[in-house]
Amino acid sequence: AILGCADSRVPVDTVFDAMPGDLFVLRNAGNTCTHAEGSMVGSLEFCTGKLGARMILVLGHTKCGAVYGATNAYLAAKKSETASVESALEGLLLDLAPVAEKAVADMGSHTDADEVAAHAVRVNVFHTIDFLLKYSAPLREKVKSGQVEIQGGIYHLDSGKVEFMGRSPQQSTLLSTNLGLPPSMTREGGRTSGYGPSARGEHGVRTTVDSAVPAEEALKMLKAGNERFAVGAPLAKHATLKMREALVSHGQAPHTAILGCADSRVPVDTVFDAMPGDLFVLRNAGNTCTHAEGSMV
């Protein structure tokens, strides 16, 4: 099974000189699981289960427009401190930001944008592999038992050759996770049934126009958010201008209040992968009511 890019310059079956019946091919812009991840993960579970395939190759390629676009969008957003989404394409690019962010961290902030983007193509391959391992229990079990291999590769447009990159460096760590479904297919984390964007609220963030969240559901949201943070797959994005305006005009309606410690190693909103408007956070040294208890209570 191959998860590759939709780019017309990378005809997967041709690249591997494959006959009909040889390859089970999934393709989208950027060979990613950022959006519609359920269709990709479910399809690979079907291929390795029902069809018996024993090899999954995530195939990126040089000069990938989606990854280059995501890198440029990330660098531009850092300069302007804005990240609006007006189309599905913009959403795709924005959600590839973690790939661009890691590429910048690896290469250094002063590296030329094209060099960063070229490295991001490689980062993205392993990012997709990591997603598969994080969110598919069937794939994890098959990899653990040695039934299935998940490896990465880069197709070089100029030479026609595929550079095989092997397993993700994070594989041994990710095999110990226990997530069972891709985020878009769960009700936890404030999601509605099935696919679609996070049900953060009518305006994309929680405001007073949204109904209160029952304690049991709020706890599920906290647990799911922390799980995403712990395995390195956060979903929360920076608030857009429209979201901030909604928070100002409609006011806040957080689903949970948290009394935590002031310790810099415990950034509460980050730990629970929370958006602005989600959490009402109180913090002091020792998460205590020993002194100034009136302000906390």
Side-chain angles (χ1 to χ4, degrees):
I2 295 181
L3 198 168
C5 184
D7 196 302
S8 63
R9 299 168 294 178
V10 192
V12 174
D13 295 280
T14 304
V15 164
F16 291 104
D17 190 26
M19 286 288 287
D22 283 349
L23 303 177
F24 187 88
V25 181
L26 305 167
R27 298 174 67 176
N28 63 20
N31 46 276
T32 179
C33 286
T34 302
H35 285 277
E37 61 269 32
S39 70
M40 293 296 172
V41 177
S43 296
L44 290 172
E45 290 176 354
F46 170 72
C47 185
T48 55
K50 182 71 173 179
L51 303 183
R54 294 293 175 258
M55 179 71 196
I56 296 174
L57 179 70
V58 176
L59 183 66
H61 67 92
T62 55
K63 303 294 183 181
C64 178
V67 176
Y68 273 63
T71 302
N72 291 330
Y74 172 76
L75 294 174
K78 281 191 68 177
K79 291 179 181 179
S80 65
E81 296 185 349
T82 60
S84 62
V85 176
E86 303 295 338
S87 69
L89 174 59
E90 291 176 354
L92 171 65
L93 298 182
L94 182 63
D95 281 356
L96 280 172
V99 170
E101 184 177 26
K102 186 178 188 312
V104 170
D106 289 346
M107 301 291 287
S109 58
H110 299 295
T111 307
D112 178 76
D114 279 350
E115 291 182 45
V116 174
H119 180 60
V121 167
R122 296 176 174 275
V123 173
N124 186 49
V125 168
F126 287 131
H127 184 263
T128 297
I129 293 175
D130 293 349
F131 190 99
L132 296 174
L133 291 171
K134 287 172 186 173
Y135 291 113
S136 174
L139 291 180
R140 278 199 306 273
E141 291 307 310
K142 286 182 171 63
V143 171
K144 282 181 184 179
S145 67
Q147 283 183 284
V148 168
E149 279 280 337
I150 305 179
Q151 298 193 14
I154 298 289
Y155 174 73
H156 291 263
L157 294 176
D158 55 355
S159 69
K161 293 183 177 180
V162 172
E163 174 189 348
F164 291 91
M165 301 163 61
R167 301 171 177 174
S168 166
Q170 301 298 317
Q171 176 171 301
S172 59
T173 300
L174 294 172
L175 290 179
S176 65
T177 62
N178 59 5
L179 294 180
L181 287 172
S184 71
M185 300 182 72
T186 69
R187 290 183 62 84
E188 278 74 20
R191 297 191 168 265
T192 57
S193 59
Y195 302 94
S198 176
R200 295 288 184 183
E202 183 177 322
H203 297 281
V205 288
R206 287 195 53 76
T207 70
T208 53
V209 302
D210 303 305
S211 58
V213 178
E216 183 179 348
E217 291 300 313
L219 184 59
K220 288 181 180 179
M221 294 167 74
L222 291 174
K223 289 180 178 179
N226 178 243
E227 184 69 31
R228 293 193 301 271
F229 166 76
V231 301
L235 296 174
K237 309 173 186 68
H238 297 297
T240 65
L241 175 60
K242 289 182 180 180
M243 292 178 184
R244 292 195 296 271
E245 289 176 345
L247 287 168
V248 172
S249 60
H250 296 290
Q252 63 174 322
H255 64 72
T256 299
I258 294 181
L259 199 170
C261 185
D263 195 304
S264 62
R265 298 168 296 179
V266 192
V268 175
D269 295 279
T270 304
V271 163
F272 291 106
D273 190 26
M275 282 286 284
D278 281 351
L279 305 178
F280 188 87
V281 181
L282 307 164
R283 297 175 68 177
N284 64 20
N287 45 278
T288 178
C289 288
T290 302
H291 286 279
E293 60 269 33
S295 68
M296 291 296 170
V297 176

